[in-house]
Amino acid sequence: MLIGELAARTGVSARSLRHYEEQGLLAPGRGSGGYRRYAESDVVRVLRIRAMVRAGVGTATVRRYLGCVRDGADGARLEMCPGLRAELDAVAGRLDAREAEVRETRGRLERLVGDG
């Protein structure tokens, strides 16, 4: 299938698909006109990549641990491959730090509004 069909079937933009290719996450074949040609298996692969990226995992980490993703009735889930727990803990730590920053900013804003 061509990039447009893969994009439509996965809900991932063609631009993102090209980015995934640049990051070594996808390796489409090329047709006679040089167009990217994707296999049916790429649909599942893209959905797995998307699930990890949406969960806050960067593409370098996705590349290392994409083989740890399994599909279940409730969607994609990760098996704990060696090293993956530390990567996920780092993502969670970054989220915790951002949440603390938002709480602090909200508090400053409330104090500022309360002073007016």
Side-chain angles (χ1 to χ4, degrees):
M1 76 189 81
L2 296 175
I3 195 167
E5 184 180 348
L6 183 61
R9 289 184 60 189
T10 60
V12 174
S13 70
R15 181 175 181 232
S16 291
L17 294 173
R18 286 189 291 273
H19 175 71
Y20 294 166
E21 181 183 355
E22 290 169 5
Q23 298 301 308
L25 299 172
L26 285 175
R30 296 287 177 160
S32 60
Y35 292 105
R36 291 170 175 85
R37 301 292 301 187
Y38 296 92
E40 188 65 32
S41 60
D42 288 323
V43 172
V44 173
R45 186 173 184 86
V46 168
L47 293 173
R48 289 175 174 177
I49 293 166
R50 182 176 178 221
M52 292 180 76
V53 169
R54 290 183 73 195
V57 178
T59 55
T61 303
V62 171
R63 187 173 48 254
R64 284 192 301 277
Y65 298 106
L66 189 58
C68 300
V69 179
R70 301 293 176 257
D71 297 316
D74 57 346
R77 63 177 180 75
L78 290 172
E79 282 184 5
M80 286 301 117
C81 297
L84 181 56
R85 171 53 55 194
E87 297 279 354
L88 298 179
D89 288 345
V91 171
R94 288 192 300 274
L95 291 173
D96 290 343
R98 279 195 230 153
E99 287 175 352
E101 289 174 17
V102 168
R103 281 192 305 274
E104 290 172 14
T105 301
R106 187 177 303 278
R108 287 191 296 272
L109 180 60
E110 289 172 356
R111 287 190 299 279
L112 182 64
V113 171
D115 290 339

